Amino acid sequence: MSKMRGRVLIPLPNTGAMGRKRNNFYMRSIFILALCIFGLLQYHNFNYLDSRDAMLSESITNDSVDAIMSMVPATLHKYLTPHTRNHSISAAGLQLNSSGSSLGGSGSGAATTISFEVYRPPNNTEIKRQIVRYNEMQLVLNEETFGPLQNDSVIIVVQVHTRINYLRHLIVSLAQARDISKSLLIFSHDFYDDDINDLVQQIDFCKVLQIFYPYSIQTHPREFPGVDPNDCPRNIKKEQALMSNCNNALYPDLYGHYREAKFTQTKHHWWWKANRVFNELEVTRFHTGLVLFLEEDHYVAEDFLYLLAMMQQRTKDLCPQCNILSLGTYLKTFNYYTYHSKVESMPWISSKHNMGFAFNRTTWTSIRRCARHFCSYDDYNWDWSLQHVSQQCLQRKLHAMIVKGPRVFHIGECGVHHKNKNCESNQVISKVQHVLRIARNSHQLFPRSLMMTVPSLIKKSKLRKGNGGWGDLRDHDLCLNMTLPTR
């Protein structure tokens, strides 16, 4: 033990290995700590965004009308405010005294009875006359303010039926879009309505033109292409139809059903308006730029024209085979943070890319040459018929460049295919406003560049059997006649 006490401990020479181990330990610890802090910050950020979104969503749900109006600039409230035409007063009339104040049943002073005419909608004869007048005039509103249509301007064509409430919100969204003043906005109507006309003619932020589909059910209520009293009922068997000698007994669709005018009209209207815009209107028939197709229950982001122009400019290098540009999607959720500047390309699919899509005259000319395929395909949907044209007739198939962060949204909860209990719900409109507000505040709109992404594996689209509803030869002939020159 005494020997051990007298031994002097000599430190080992420092070779650096222990120092490196110590440094590595510190670096790993710092890295792990940084990851933990980053994770906590992200978690806190996501929770904050979720709570903020929940608060906004709750406010919208609790008071949807006020919330929607609050998201719209005050100058555009006029498009959301209905103006009734029926100014009738009670049978007793309204009595005013000489100073202009209203009087009750008694009072002194000279009383004057004010009467107003009751608004009466135009009858069918007057509607037909007005449609002919509008279609012949081809009056472009606001042209003196915004100048003539330029060849590189976008023509926006909106197909309108009767849903004026949705149309109001579409107009509000268009009014807020950058460069909308350079566009020509064409409303194509298959229903003549004075309130809708008043709303459209109120527009003061761009050039506006109205066209009216002349073969509507409204103007032909008891004759083809409306419902002729002698037309075969939808579900009658062909043998019974032949025995009853109804008009179209020989021509049920591929499922054995006979035509329903309310369904055939949409396809006719789409085909008519495309022919009308590209080939007949004086202001557009030599235009070679983009034509964008919308419907009354769509809603656009404020950068939709900006993005469309960017997509058009990048087509040659990003997607030379693309001849359609698509701005819409039917997705229920939208991730702008990831997809706001990303696009992808794939063959045009009718059920996915039929909303907010654009093409030019070159593409239209190819489609129009395939009119017989479009007009004879036994499907009452114009988009399915267009896909049939692409698969069966076009040498250069329809191929789309699609923006992954949508700039066109579907806000309609009711339509040809879907009927909800509450067709006037503002829930979807509120959701879209909310999504766009977050995208705007987080600077996800107006991207500086586009990035092409590789789409997920796409199954080769098979030739599909049509949905029927288009077996009547009268529909085939009417459709084909729309491609004949009218000048």
Side-chain angles (χ1 to χ4, degrees):
M1 292 293 293
S2 59
K3 289 182 180 180
M4 290 291 292
R5 288 193 187 97
R7 184 177 295 174
V8 178
L9 295 176
I10 302 174
L12 293 173
N14 185 2
T15 60
M18 293 180 66
R20 283 195 297 272
K21 286 182 180 178
R22 192 180 300 112
N23 289 339
N24 288 341
F25 173 77
Y26 290 152
M27 291 299 294
R28 282 197 297 270
S29 299
I30 293 171
F31 179 72
I32 292 170
L33 182 61
L35 277 179
C36 291
I37 293 172
F38 178 76
L40 286 171
L41 288 173
Q42 289 294 97
Y43 177 76
H44 178 269
N45 186 45
F46 286 143
N47 279 347
Y48 169 73
L49 289 175
D50 288 345
S51 62
R52 186 185 67 173
D53 293 353
M55 288 168 59
L56 286 171
S57 298
E58 186 180 351
S59 67
I60 289 172
T61 303
N62 290 342
D63 198 0
S64 61
V65 174
D66 288 345
I68 286 174
M69 293 295 280
S70 71
M71 299 276 272
V72 176
T75 55
L76 302 181
H77 284 187
K78 62 183 179 181
Y79 300 120
L80 298 178
T81 306
H83 299 283
T84 179
R85 283 173 164 265
N86 192 351
H87 299 295
S88 61
I89 308 300
S90 61
L94 177 67
Q95 288 191 328
L96 302 178
N97 64 19
S98 57
S99 63
S101 59
S102 61
L103 295 173
S106 62
S108 58
T112 306
T113 300
I114 307 296
S115 62
F116 294 85
E117 290 186 4
V118 177
Y119 168 70
R120 292 181 176 84
N123 58 32
N124 202 29
T125 302
E126 176 62 16
I127 287 173
K128 286 183 176 179
R129 190 182 72 81
Q130 292 288 0
I131 285 175
V132 170
R133 184 175 72 89
Y134 273 108
N135 285 344
E136 286 181 350
M137 276 199 316
Q138 301 184 28
L139 178 63
V140 179
L141 303 175
N142 306 323
E143 189 173 27
E144 68 284 353
T145 302
F146 298 105
L149 180 68
Q150 301 300 312
N151 203 40
D152 60 348
S153 298
V154 177
I155 297 172
I156 304 169
V157 185
V158 183
Q159 185 157 322
V160 184
H161 185 48
T162 60
R163 294 177 293 175
I164 188 171
N165 288 336
Y166 290 131
L167 182 60
R168 292 182 186 281
H169 290 283
L170 170 61
I171 290 172
V172 164
S173 70
L174 289 166
Q176 298 177 81
R178 182 188 291 184
D179 294 330
I180 190 65
S181 61
K182 300 176 183 177
S183 299
L184 171 62
L185 191 52
I186 299 178
F187 292 89
S188 183
H189 305 265
D190 59 27
F191 190 87
Y192 186 93
D193 179 82
D194 282 327
D195 288 333
I196 293 177
N197 293 341
D198 288 347
L199 172 63
V200 169
Q201 290 161 20
Q202 246 189 305
I203 293 174
D204 56 8
F205 51 81
C206 69
K207 296 182 287 293
V208 175
L209 174 63
Q210 287 181 279
I211 59 178
F212 289 83
Y213 173 60
Y215 313 112
S216 69
I217 299 171
Q218 182 191 29
T219 55
H220 300 75
R222 294 180 60 79
E223 60 180 328
F224 178 87
V227 183
D228 190 298
N230 197 42
D231 280 350
C232 303
R234 177 186 186 272
N235 295 321
I236 193 173
K237 299 298 182 184
K238 186 174 182 180
E239 296 76 14
Q240 293 175 293
L242 290 169
M243 288 176 61
S244 68
N245 199 30
C246 49
N247 289 337
N248 47 336
L250 292 172
Y251 309 114
D253 68 10
L254 54 85
Y255 298 100
H257 300 139
Y258 289 94
R259 81 184 294 268
E260 293 178 273
K262 63 181 179 180
F263 294 125
T264 60
Q265 176 169 273
T266 304
K267 178 173 172 177
H268 280 307
H269 183 184
W270 191 92
W271 187 245
W272 175 84
K273 79 178 181 192
N275 278 277
R276 182 80 172 154
V277 170
F278 280 106
N279 300 106
E280 296 179 8
L281 294 176
E282 291 293 338
V283 69
T284 61
R285 66 191 183 103
F286 297 115
H287 184 269
T288 59
L290 288 176
V291 175
L292 175 69
F293 292 88
L294 298 175
E295 296 181 18
E296 64 186 6
D297 61 348
H298 290 171
Y299 194 101
V300 300
E302 62 196 74
D303 67 340
F304 85 103
L305 287 172
Y306 169 90
L307 200 70
L308 187 63
M310 187 179 289
M311 292 169 72
Q312 185 183 26
Q313 292 168 2
R314 297 297 307 279
T315 299
K316 288 184 179 179
D317 59 303
L318 289 180
C319 185
Q321 74 274 28
C322 288
N323 48 15
I324 283 185
L325 305 177
S326 180
L327 296 173
T329 181
Y330 288 96
L331 296 175
K332 299 298 182 184
T333 57
F334 317 105
N335 188 343
Y336 274 93
Y337 183 78
T338 303
Y339 295 127
H340 73 282
S341 63
K342 293 181 179 178
V343 294
E344 61 184 358
S345 73
M346 63 182 69
W348 188 79
I349 301 172
S350 61
S351 59
K352 294 183 178 180
H353 311 137
N354 63 357
M355 180 172 58
F357 72 102
F359 53 78
N360 62 18
R361 182 174 298 277
T362 301
T363 301
W364 166 249
T365 301
S366 301
I367 293 170
R368 192 169 183 265
R369 291 195 187 107
C370 298
R372 191 163 294 280
H373 283 79
F374 183 92
C375 291
S376 61
Y377 182 54
D378 194 356
D379 194 306
Y380 67 94
N381 297 288
W382 62 264
D383 50 349
W384 280 59
S385 303
L386 197 57
Q387 183 161 338
H388 175 77
V389 164
S390 176
Q391 293 175 329
Q392 289 292 291
C393 182
L394 293 181
Q395 290 184 341
R396 184 185 175 193
K397 310 298 183 191
L398 297 179
H399 202 94
M401 182 192 293
I402 305 112
V403 60
K404 298 197 71 175
R407 264 55 178 196
V408 176
F409 302 83
H410 183 251
I411 59 174
E413 294 192 288
C414 297
V416 174
H417 302 290
H418 304 287
K419 297 290 182 186
N420 291 342
K421 290 182 179 179
N422 184 5
C423 291
E424 301 300 323
S425 172
N426 289 328
Q427 184 177 357
V428 179
I429 298 168
S430 300
K431 178 182 177 182
V432 171
Q433 286 183 326
H434 176 57
V435 166
L436 290 176
R437 182 180 185 179
I438 293 175
R440 184 187 310 115
N441 292 342
S442 57
H443 308 291
Q444 303 303 317
L445 301 179
F446 300 100
R448 294 184 179 181
S449 61
L450 292 179
M451 180 186 301
M452 177 66 75
T453 62
V454 179
S456 55
L457 187 63
I458 304 172
K459 295 180 181 178
K460 191 172 182 181
S461 183
K462 297 180 181 178
L463 293 177
R464 300 182 299 184
K465 189 178 181 181
N467 290 297
W470 198 267
D472 199 314
L473 291 190
R474 294 176 297 175
D475 285 314
H476 300 185
D477 292 340
L478 174 61
C479 180
L480 283 169
N481 286 338
M482 293 175 189
T483 64
L484 299 177
T486 59
R487 57 183 69 248

